[in-house]
Amino acid sequence: MDKKIQEALNFLQTKFDFNASIALILGSGLGNFTEQIKDKIVTPFRDIPNFPVSTVQGHAGELIYGTVNEKKVLVCAGRVHFYEGYSLEDVTFPVQLLCALGIEILLITNAAGSVNEEFLPGELMIIDKQINLTGHSAILGEEPRIPYLRRLGDLAFRLAKEHDIRMRRGTYMGLTGPTYETPSEIKYFRFLGADAVGMSTIHETVVAHSLGIDILGISVLTNFAAGILDQPLSHEEVMETGLLVRDDFAKLLSEIIKQL
Ligand code: HPA
């Protein structure tokens, strides 16, 4: 095991015994899900050796161990992004650590812009496929693989329907950022098959999958991507829409956890 992961693991193992098979990574503005966690043990990322700490508004920066619907879960509330200047090793550090802690299923979430004009801000999207347009890969030297598990996507889609939550399925395109895209880029990405764009997730899923983890990815569509509406995008808009849907989103996540 990597020395940095081992150090983090040693630190956490002196604090408590982990026995969770499910982990979640919560994206921008989606941290309210943590209110549903019972018997919480909260560890700030900054206390964990080698753990990268986010500089972006809306990312809490805590590892939470606890119970949701009688299931033990490990939750990363917040993440770092490649655009913050972190290496891919740092960006994927949490996933590697979760794996070292013994998890088998990862629910990975993010805020994304709708490229598909039929997918409305405020709706959710199961990530069935991803396009890595960052120009980087976190698993160079390994065999090619496809990260998302259809079975988990089908489960989430069925549960969303049962709870009247508007859910789409589509392709997430990951970009480096940190600038939002231009309208011309979005036109091009639509042509390439993207339904949503964002600046996270891609590298985490690739690494998690290479470590044998089953993955369910869900995007909260917080805005129309650039050029669809006649107005500029802002981080505030992304955060505001996140706030509007976060209760539905949190409810859905706990229903999914119940069924895993
Ligand atoms: N583009 C890129 N990343 C995003 C967007 C977007 O429109 N919305 C939320 N994250």
Side-chain angles (χ1 to χ4, degrees):
M1 186 181 301
D2 179 86
K3 186 165 156 282
K4 288 184 176 173
I5 299 287
Q6 189 68 59
E7 283 170 3
L9 195 60
N10 291 347
F11 168 80
L12 290 171
Q13 282 172 340
T14 57
K15 295 191 76 183
F16 40 90
D17 283 335
F18 287 97
N19 95 48
S21 62
I22 304 166
L24 288 89
I25 297 179
L26 302 175
S28 301
L30 305 174
N32 76 316
F33 170 75
T34 59
E35 288 160 19
Q36 314 217 5
I37 308 173
K38 296 205 181 107
D39 308 322
K40 275 188 241 191
I41 300 176
V42 179
T43 313
F45 290 162
R46 76 181 107 81
D47 292 352
I48 306 172
N50 309 313
F51 205 103
V53 179
S54 177
T55 56
V56 181
Q57 186 205 344
H59 284 260
E62 290 171 343
L63 179 70
I64 303 168
Y65 179 59
T67 310
V68 174
N69 274 331
E70 316 300 322
K71 300 255 171 79
K72 288 285 180 206
V73 292
L74 265 168
V75 178
C76 283
R79 58 152 64 91
V80 297
H81 304 80
F82 193 49
Y83 68 73
E84 292 176 73
Y86 285 103
S87 67
L88 289 184
E89 194 192 336
D90 286 331
V91 167
T92 61
F93 184 90
V95 163
Q96 294 181 56
L97 182 60
L98 291 171
C99 188
L101 287 164
I103 67 129
E104 290 164 10
I105 298 177
L106 175 66
L107 309 189
I108 192 159
T109 71
N110 58 48
S114 308
V115 175
N116 183 328
E117 294 180 34
E118 289 180 9
F119 290 11
L120 306 179
E123 294 182 336
L124 307 179
M125 186 187 89
I126 291 161
I127 306 175
D128 278 329
K129 297 174 194 157
Q130 72 182 23
I131 301 174
N132 177 359
L133 218 75
T134 67
H136 298 270
S137 173
I139 56 159
L140 288 178
E142 294 193 22
E143 281 179 28
R145 315 154 200 253
I146 295 184
Y148 297 96
L149 201 65
R150 189 96 206 163
R151 174 174 62 79
L152 292 176
D154 289 349
L155 171 70
F157 193 69
R158 177 172 63 76
L159 291 172
K161 250 192 172 160
E162 280 174 23
H163 290 84
D164 271 336
I165 295 169
R166 291 188 63 89
M167 180 64 89
R168 305 289 193 162
R169 303 186 77 150
T171 299
Y172 174 89
M173 177 180 276
L175 302 159
T176 294
T179 47
Y180 288 114
E181 304 71 34
T182 64
S184 307
E185 285 166 345
I186 292 300
K187 238 190 236 174
Y188 172 55
F189 298 156
R190 188 177 299 120
F191 173 75
L192 293 178
D195 293 301
V197 274
M199 302 176 197
S200 67
T201 303
I202 294 285
H203 304 298
E204 292 148 278
T205 55
V206 166
V207 168
H209 185 69
S210 83
L211 294 171
I213 307 290
D214 291 340
I215 302 162
L216 169 64
I218 305 181
S219 294
V220 174
L221 302 173
T222 49
N223 57 282
F224 273 126
I228 295 179
L229 300 180
D230 193 16
Q231 65 187 49
L233 296 184
S234 69
H235 189 57
E236 286 68 40
E237 179 189 359
V238 170
M239 300 302 292
E240 275 166 25
T241 314
L243 283 179
L244 292 179
V245 295
R246 63 186 208 162
D247 289 343
D248 272 358
F249 188 63
K251 186 167 90 185
L252 179 66
L253 289 181
S254 29
E255 287 300 320
I256 294 170
I257 290 165
K258 197 167 162 185
Q259 303 286 332
L260 289 175

